[in-house]
Amino acid sequence: MVDCTTVFETLTGFLPKNILEKAVEETNAEHGTKKFTVLRQLNTMMYAHFTEKVSLRAIQDGITADKKLQEHTETISASQISRVNINRDTNVFKMIFEATLAKVKKHNIISIIPGS
C-alpha cells in the first residue's frame, strides 16, 4: 500500500483555505451536506488519483485500511462517493485548482507547467 499521507500534508499546505471557503460559498457546493464536505471529497479523489484506484470500491477499501488517511477523508462508502461525485458542482474544484496553481506558480515551486 502506498502511503499518501505525506503527499496530502504537502498539498494541503498549498491549498488556500480562504479560497476553498470562498469557492464553496460562491458555488453553494455544500448545500445540504452533512458529512462529505468539499475538502473531504477533494482529499478522497486525490488519494484515488495518487494510488491509481480504478473503482469506487477500491477507494473505499483503501481508505478503510488506512487509519492515518482517514484523518483527511474519514470513512466513506462507495455509494457516498458516487452520490457526491454526481451531485456536486464541479466549478468549486476548478476554482480551488486555479487558486492553488496560482499560489504554486507565485512561489516558483514548479518551473514548467504543461499547458500553461
Side-chain angles (χ1 to χ4, degrees):
M1 179 189 321
V2 177
D3 181 12
C4 290
T5 305
T6 313
V7 174
F8 278 123
E9 291 167 353
T10 302
L11 287 175
T12 56
F14 289 106
L15 180 63
K17 299 293 184 206
N18 60 330
I19 298 297
L20 174 84
E21 292 166 0
K22 182 179 177 187
V24 167
E25 185 177 319
E26 285 182 15
T27 60
N28 201 24
E30 290 186 352
H31 176 74
T33 300
K34 293 180 183 173
K35 283 182 59 178
F36 205 28
T37 64
V38 168
L39 183 57
R40 283 186 59 206
Q41 183 182 12
L42 180 61
N43 287 338
T44 299
M45 299 318 292
M46 284 191 308
Y47 162 76
H49 178 73
F50 294 142
T51 58
E52 300 179 351
K53 300 296 183 197
V54 294
S55 72
L56 297 176
R57 183 74 57 210
I59 297 169
Q60 174 190 321
D61 292 345
I63 291 171
T64 300
D66 188 338
K67 297 297 180 198
K68 187 135 176 86
L69 178 61
Q70 290 175 26
E71 294 173 12
H72 301 280
T73 62
E74 297 186 24
T75 56
I76 194 78
S77 71
S79 63
Q80 286 173 305
I81 298 168
S82 174
R83 217 173 13 259
V84 78
N85 282 349
I86 290 169
N87 294 323
R88 184 157 283 148
D89 182 357
T90 57
N91 285 325
V92 70
F93 298 108
K94 179 181 179 199
M95 292 172 72
I96 293 166
F97 173 78
E98 289 172 347
T100 304
L101 182 60
K103 183 177 179 182
V104 168
K105 282 182 176 180
K106 181 179 174 183
H107 290 109
N108 294 319
I109 296 166
I110 299 174
S111 57
I112 299 174
I113 299 173
S116 63

